[in-house]
């Protein structure tokens, strides 16, 4: 039986990015409770190294949750965390939190740390960590308010309350070099691995 590829995510952005490559895959949402790991890291001062470990662990646990029932398949796990001023920013839980995050990021540089990995039989066979530096332009309070209003409920589903692939690009002066990783999955590196192992042509 040919090995299937499973994306352990229901993120529309990640699904579309992988779909656009032409790779045949199935998308299955992982029910792993991310707060188990996130809580550990929110209590202490952060840096790129600790955040890289965090996204790796989260991506691994998400993929493992799916791999338990799909032992012979390749499961792709992903996670992403925003790091600013030695603190982690997760998806905002309220309009107030979203406004606070954007006010802090306004005019400053932050990093998006993205973990992408593959597991088979509940064991990791490949992983890649991407760190992308992002420079947000100086935003007025009025602009932030109008932006959040235009995002509606979508603001609660993205880190820092912005979608780089849509109107969120207007918040930035500069972004990192890897647009795929910024959007949540390191597509190019993933394809190199899948091709090297014969899972795709």
């Amino acid at each position: 039986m040919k090995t299937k590829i499973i994306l352990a995510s229901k993120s529309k952005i990640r699904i579309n990015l992988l779909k656009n490559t032409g790779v045949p895959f199935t998308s299955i949402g992982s029910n792993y409770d991310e707060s188990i790991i996130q809580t550990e890291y929110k209590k202490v001062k952060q840096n790129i190294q600790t955040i890289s470990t965090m996204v790796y662990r989260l991506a691994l646990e998400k993929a493992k949750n799916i791999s338990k029932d799909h032992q012979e398949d390749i499961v792709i796990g992903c996670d992403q965390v925003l790091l600013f001023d030695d603190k982690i920013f997760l998806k905002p839980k309220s309009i107030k939190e979203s406004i606070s995050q954007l006010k802090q990021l306004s005019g400053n540089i932050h990093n998006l740390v993205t973990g992408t990995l593959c597991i088979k039989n509940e064991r990791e066979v490949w992983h890649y960590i991407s760190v992308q530096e992002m420079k947000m332009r100086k935003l007025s309070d009025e602009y932030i308010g109008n932006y959040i209003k235009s995002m509606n409920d979508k603001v609660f589903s993205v880190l820092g309350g912005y979608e780089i692939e849509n109107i969120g690009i207007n918040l930035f002066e500069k972004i990192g070099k890897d647009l795929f990783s910024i959007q949540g999955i390191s597509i190019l590196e993933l394809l190199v691995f899948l091709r090297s192992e014969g899972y795709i042509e």
Side-chain angles (χ1 to χ4, degrees):
M1 182 184 291
K2 187 176 180 181
T3 301
K4 295 178 182 177
I5 298 172
I6 298 173
L7 176 64
S9 174
K10 279 297 183 181
S11 160
K12 290 180 180 179
I13 296 170
R14 289 185 178 120
I15 289 171
N16 285 335
L17 286 172
L18 192 54
K19 187 181 292 183
N20 288 341
T21 68
V23 170
F25 72 98
T26 302
S27 168
I28 303 176
S30 175
N31 294 320
Y32 179 73
D33 183 1
E34 297 179 41
S35 66
I36 296 171
I37 291 176
Q38 289 171 349
T39 302
E40 290 180 38
Y41 288 82
K42 289 179 78 173
K43 296 175 182 176
V44 295
K45 188 175 180 180
Q46 301 302 328
N47 55 45
I48 294 296
Q49 186 174 359
T50 58
I51 292 302
S52 296
T53 302
M54 177 183 172
V55 296
Y56 170 80
R57 289 178 60 193
L58 284 165
L60 184 65
E61 294 303 327
K62 288 178 185 178
K64 275 186 176 180
N65 242 22
I66 303 301
S67 186
K68 288 185 293 187
D69 297 321
H70 300 271
Q71 294 281 330
E72 297 304 314
D73 298 326
I74 285 290
V75 181
I76 304 166
C78 308
D79 197 76
Q80 187 176 58
V81 171
L82 188 158
L83 176 65
F84 172 68
D85 196 24
D86 299 326
K87 301 188 297 288
I88 60 173
F89 281 30
L90 303 173
K91 296 171 185 175
K93 293 183 171 58
S94 65
I95 295 295
K96 183 178 179 180
E97 184 179 6
S98 182
I99 290 172
S100 173
Q101 287 186 352
L102 287 175
K103 281 186 175 182
Q104 291 177 74
L105 297 175
S106 172
N108 292 310
I109 291 172
H110 67 269
N111 286 288
L112 279 181
V113 183
T114 305
T116 308
L117 55 77
C118 291
I119 70 173
K120 188 174 183 180
N121 297 316
E122 299 181 65
R123 297 182 65 180
E124 180 217 313
V125 291
W126 171 84
H127 80 272
Y128 180 78
I129 303 294
S130 163
V131 179
Q132 299 296 314
E133 188 174 275
M134 314 285 285
K135 173 68 184 295
M136 197 171 280
R137 66 187 179 90
K138 190 67 177 174
L139 307 170
S140 68
D141 291 351
E142 182 181 10
Y143 188 92
I144 290 172
N146 289 335
Y147 169 76
I148 290 174
K149 192 179 295 182
S150 71
M151 283 285 285
N152 295 314
D153 288 345
K154 286 194 295 183
V155 77
F156 305 124
S157 63
V158 287
L159 294 176
Y162 65 79
E163 282 185 311
I164 200 74
E165 63 279 359
N166 290 310
I167 60 171
I169 193 66
N170 292 291
L171 304 175
F172 290 88
E173 283 184 11
K174 294 180 181 179
I175 63 170
K177 296 179 180 179
D178 185 351
L179 188 58
F180 297 125
S181 292
I182 291 169
Q183 293 178 87
I185 179 170
S186 297
I187 286 287
L188 288 175
E189 292 77 12
L190 174 63
L191 292 176
V192 169
F193 165 74
L194 293 175
R195 195 171 290 114
S196 70
E197 296 299 312
Y199 295 120
I200 61 173
E201 295 182 357

